[in-house]
Amino acid sequence: MKNLNQNIEKHYLKERLFEDIITRLKEMEVDLDSVTRSDIAGVDEFHVRGAEVSKELAKEADLNGLEVLDIGCGLGGPCRMLADDYNCNVTGIDLSHEYIRTARALSKLVKLDHKTKFLVGDAANLPFDDGSFDAVWTQHAQMNIPEKKKFYSEIKRVLRHRGLFLYYDIFKNNDDIVEYPMPWASSAAHSFLFKTNQMNEILNELGFKQLSTKNQTKAGTAFFEALVIRLKEFGPPKMGLNVLMGQSTKPKLLNLLGHLKSGALMLESGIYKIE
């Protein structure tokens, strides 16, 4: 498992990421003393539809003032949104040392470091006491986690009584072979996709009650199609996912779009409550 985690971290590695973001902000003529969340929104939410879908998901639950854990937090964009818009105290955890270093620096940059904290850690072995959080939030993380039951069991363990689990993820939609590379994996060796009914079965066994689900595939496909048009017309943006994926951005995103359109993969968000 240690070697797998190291390989996954290597897949996401972009050295001196914060420094690159700062350089880009300067090129955009953004005053570094007054950087806002919107200035960095193109890069700090590494999932389909970015900040837009995070805001939608947050509106589906009463999160005001809660203690929230974001598993697979990346650069911490959703953490800062929950802290800023919902007065949450948010902890983010991720395998990537560079992502966590950058997340901390970005929170300080936008003056939200007092409401957010970030730790390097393993989603299947969370470094928190039982019942530490009112809500657990995760977006596009489980695809890299082979031990599904352990992952969701850990979510249950750190949740308080009647705590909420919110997710937005990519799932297999049928038994078609998935071709790589994808944004989360360069090969099948680091990808552990499964179907929504399998997740639901695990969560039911653990005592979770499903409150809502939403098929996000159509919205995600429309997002990618519009993005491809913009890329063709204007080239890569100064502050976008290309900052994280570099030259592999286009083939990875086009491949994901193709699988969503063919029906091999799907996007779904939802909320569960622990009973």
Side-chain angles (χ1 to χ4, degrees):
M1 191 66 185
K2 182 179 179 181
N3 288 339
L4 174 63
N5 287 348
Q6 289 173 343
N7 288 333
I8 292 170
E9 181 179 9
K10 184 178 180 181
H11 169 80
Y12 288 108
L13 180 61
K14 170 70 185 294
E15 293 180 348
R16 295 184 59 77
L17 182 53
F18 177 68
E19 291 75 14
D20 186 22
I21 292 171
I22 290 296
T23 298
R24 291 168 183 268
L25 287 170
K26 290 177 179 177
E27 292 172 352
M28 295 163 60
E29 299 184 348
V30 175
D31 182 356
L32 296 184
D33 291 326
S34 56
V35 178
T36 66
R37 283 171 37 220
S38 62
D39 290 324
I40 56 176
V43 71
D44 73 346
E45 300 224 20
F46 193 2
H47 47 261
V48 181
R49 294 178 62 220
E52 180 183 15
V53 75
S54 297
K55 292 175 183 177
E56 288 178 9
L57 184 57
K59 288 178 181 177
E60 294 294 317
D62 183 7
L63 298 174
N64 287 290
L66 299 187
E67 293 282 339
V68 180
L69 172 64
D70 182 353
I71 300 177
C73 66
L75 305 191
C79 296
R80 286 183 286 275
M81 179 272 292
L82 293 170
D84 201 15
D85 294 348
Y86 293 90
N87 194 34
C88 296
N89 290 307
V90 192
T91 300
I93 187 168
D94 201 281
L95 276 177
S96 170
H97 289 74
E98 185 66 7
Y99 278 12
I100 292 299
R101 182 184 77 90
T102 303
R104 290 168 178 163
L106 290 176
S107 277
K108 186 174 182 180
L109 186 66
V110 298
K111 302 175 178 60
L112 285 169
D113 49 320
H114 63 297
K115 298 286 289 182
T116 58
K117 60 182 178 180
F118 300 96
L119 304 170
V120 175
D122 184 351
N125 188 22
L126 296 172
F128 307 109
D129 292 336
D130 296 0
S132 294
F133 300 97
D134 301 302
V136 172
W137 169 290
T138 184
Q139 295 172 286
H140 292 19
Q142 59 79 17
M143 301 98 69
N144 288 129
I145 301 169
E147 300 171 306
K148 303 297 187 190
K149 189 160 187 178
K150 184 72 165 64
F151 171 55
Y152 294 110
S153 296
E154 280 291 272
I155 290 172
K156 177 186 178 181
R157 182 183 65 78
V158 301
L159 275 173
R160 293 169 182 153
H161 179 60
R162 301 186 70 78
L164 296 173
F165 169 51
L166 301 90
Y167 70 93
Y168 171 55
D169 258 320
I170 299 172
F171 298 93
K172 290 194 71 174
N173 194 42
N174 55 39
D175 295 322
D176 290 354
I177 295 173
V178 176
E179 302 292 344
Y180 294 84
M182 289 288 186
W184 65 90
S186 297
S187 72
H190 305 141
S191 181
F192 306 96
L193 294 161
F194 73 152
K195 298 178 181 178
T196 56
N197 65 308
Q198 294 173 295
M199 177 189 70
N200 189 52
E201 182 177 334
I202 293 172
L203 291 173
N204 285 339
E205 288 178 2
L206 292 171
F208 283 90
K209 178 182 179 182
Q210 186 182 83
L211 300 183
S212 66
T213 61
K214 184 176 182 180
N215 190 320
Q216 298 278 2
T217 309
K218 185 176 180 180
T221 300
F223 167 83
F224 274 136
E225 289 176 335
L227 177 61
V228 169
I229 292 172
R230 290 198 303 273
L231 287 173
K232 287 181 178 178
E233 187 171 354
F234 303 109
K238 185 66 68 176
M239 195 69 72
L241 295 182
N242 50 294
V243 178
L244 301 174
M245 293 188 285
Q247 293 183 349
S248 69
T249 303
K250 187 175 179 179
K252 287 177 179 177
L253 295 185
L254 286 175
N255 192 32
L256 177 53
L257 171 60
H259 283 70
L260 291 172
K261 292 177 73 173
S262 74
L265 298 178
M266 67 172 291
L267 290 158
E268 183 181 276
S269 62
I271 304 174
Y272 283 77
K273 176 182 277 189
I274 191 71
E275 292 292 290

